[in-house]
Amino acid sequence: MTRPTRAVINWSHLRHNYELVKATGTGRTYAVIKANGYGHGLLNCARALSGADGFAVACVDEAMVLREAGIQRKIVVLQGAYDGAEWKLAAEHNIQLVVHHEQQLDERDSITLPATVGVWLKINSGMNRVGFRPEQADAVLARISADDKLDLRHVMTHFAAADEADSGSFAEQVALMSSREWPVSLSLSNSAALFRGTGIEEGVRRPGICLYGSSPMPHKTAAELGLKAVMSLESRVISTHKVPAGEAVGYGADWRAERDTRVGVITVGYGDGYPRHAPAGTPVLVDGVECPLIGRVSMDMITVDLTDHPLAHIGSHVELWGDHLSVDRIAALCGTISYELFCQLTPRVKRVARELPSDTQNTPLAAARV
């Protein structure tokens, strides 16, 4: 029997989420599919969103994976080129680069480009991670303008706290970017800013986590925003047994049964990317019924309390997060964010594609390996 742990990916939900965020404003919408499509699969995200205005990735290596697979949509590399060789690759393969540091322009000057490269100028408006400070902007803009092999496409920044309802820093960053006229259109909005709005007309918005069905707003659920879960992490119950009151379950013996307990063993663990620090009580759906995690998460298995779910049995379907159990809820209980849960899934978790039919959500679903 094949190990039942798998990540079921619903590509129609990815397209739904893209169209939903695209409808929130004007301008083009580049889907952020870096970090292997937030754990969902870089190439398959691009193929599922074949009609997207463009894609944003972290590095030239990711962009080249797309180009070598025949993906011809516009691509912007958010960290830009690391060296002169990557500038040349960008020119040869029509890849746009973010410029955020003077050294990147120095490296560009060290080589002869075979074609023009589209560039985005990144301004550090308050994140203080990468980007030119506002007072450097004019000099950098002049340098780019003077280079006949560079074509300035957009000016961009990145928000530090767009997800915080009363964030003063968000307002300050918006004010800074709107305080002057730029020679090209802006690209400002990440997922959170898309839903709260900047009040600034943008040429390109850059949704990331919301595309995958996770809420970028801590005070609103994904369902409240109209988002649909793209990934369902699933497994099966592989064993059940009874533990008398007073006995311990799992490593460290730090969970003890307060009553005679029926324990279910599920084949998933931190070796699959399920968070090792998930606390006792974290919900797990067994045949649609919430059952609490008990004992520590081990490498290959977790244990849950099935005492109040007498119908659960070996082979019962398990959802760790997905359509019916919000990944944001699990992430909050684990003291992290959905981004980490998605991205830390390991290669041994099979990614399986599932498409919902357009006419009904109750029709049996066909699954195929991604």
Side-chain angles (χ1 to χ4, degrees):
M1 177 181 177
T2 302
R3 188 168 184 266
T5 307
R6 62 185 195 165
V8 178
I9 311 296
N10 193 322
W11 297 118
S12 64
H13 285 186
L14 182 68
R15 288 188 286 271
H16 163 87
N17 295 336
Y18 176 83
E19 293 301 328
L20 185 148
V21 299
K22 186 174 173 62
T24 62
T26 60
R28 285 163 287 166
T29 301
Y30 278 31
V32 181
I33 57 174
K34 62 180 180 174
N36 196 30
Y38 289 52
H40 293 66
L42 174 68
L43 274 178
N44 285 303
C45 284
R47 288 168 177 153
L49 295 175
S50 59
D53 296 326
F55 299 113
V57 296
C59 55
V60 171
D61 284 348
E62 292 176 336
M64 287 304 300
V65 169
L66 297 178
R67 285 291 186 252
E68 288 169 358
I71 305 297
Q72 295 302 315
R73 308 302 288 182
K74 293 179 179 178
I75 301 173
V76 61
V77 175
L78 297 173
Q79 290 182 10
Y82 295 145
D83 54 33
E86 291 197 337
W87 274 102
K88 187 175 180 182
L89 280 173
E92 292 170 343
H93 296 278
N94 191 24
I95 297 167
Q96 300 172 38
L97 300 175
V98 169
V99 175
H100 59 77
H101 195 282
E102 198 97 32
Q103 183 174 333
Q104 292 175 313
L105 293 173
D106 293 341
E107 288 165 347
R108 175 271 168 277
D109 289 341
S110 70
I111 64 165
T112 300
L113 291 177
T116 300
V117 176
V119 296
W120 299 31
L121 173 63
K122 186 161 191 176
I123 300 297
N124 172 18
S125 62
M127 181 80 165
N128 282 325
R129 192 171 58 180
V130 294
F132 293 95
R133 298 191 69 85
E135 58 270 22
Q136 297 175 289
D138 287 334
V140 178
L141 285 168
R143 184 173 178 180
I144 292 171
S145 178
D147 190 326
D148 63 0
K149 290 294 186 179
L150 299 185
D151 178 17
L152 181 66
R153 301 291 180 84
H154 301 284
V155 173
M156 67 178 293
T157 197
H158 194 62
F159 294 118
D163 57 336
E164 297 177 8
D166 300 316
S167 171
S169 69
F170 175 74
E172 290 170 3
Q173 287 186 268
V174 170
L176 188 150
M177 295 304 294
S178 62
S179 65
R180 61 168 289 172
E181 290 188 7
W182 300 97
V184 289
S185 63
L186 295 174
S187 175
L188 307 178
S189 291
N190 55 8
S191 291
L194 275 166
F195 283 99
R196 70 180 297 175
T198 64
I200 301 175
E201 185 175 341
E202 299 179 49
V204 174
R205 294 101 50 75
R206 311 184 310 273
I209 193 62
C210 66
L211 296 179
Y212 306 96
S214 173
S215 173
M217 315 296 284
H219 57 287
K220 285 190 176 181
T221 67
E224 289 172 335
L225 295 174
L227 300 169
K228 296 182 179 182
V230 176
M231 175 192 291
S232 289
L233 181 61
E234 301 179 355
S235 192
R236 298 277 176 180
V237 175
I238 61 167
S239 178
T240 66
H241 61 278
K242 292 183 179 179
V243 171
E247 290 193 7
V249 174
Y251 285 118
D254 53 4
W255 186 92
R256 290 190 177 275
E258 296 181 354
R259 59 177 180 174
D260 291 347
T261 301
R262 182 168 175 251
V263 176
V265 181
I266 297 167
T267 177
V268 70
Y270 63 78
D272 302 291
Y274 189 79
R276 183 178 180 272
H277 50 285
T282 298
V284 175
L285 282 185
V286 180
D287 285 338
V289 176
E290 284 196 15
C291 299
L293 180 72
I294 59 177
R296 295 183 187 175
V297 174
S298 57
M299 183 179 289
D300 309 304
M301 292 176 282
I302 61 172
T303 46
V304 296
D305 186 348
L306 297 178
T307 309
D308 298 325
H309 187 10
L311 296 180
H313 55 86
I314 293 174
S316 283
H317 176 268
V318 172
E319 181 179 300
L320 289 309
W321 64 69
D323 286 330
H324 307 100
L325 185 60
S326 168
V327 66
D328 298 315
R329 182 180 173 194
I330 303 303
L333 288 167
C334 296
T336 185
I337 54 178
S338 60
Y339 305 69
E340 183 177 28
L341 297 189
F342 289 148
C343 290
Q344 72 185 9
L345 285 186
T346 65
R348 79 170 178 178
V349 178
K350 298 180 292 293
R351 272 64 167 181
V352 177
R354 175 177 291 169
E355 290 287 357
L356 283 176
S358 59
D359 55 337
T360 174
Q361 295 194 12
N362 297 317
T363 303
L365 302 177
R369 285 293 297 274
V370 176

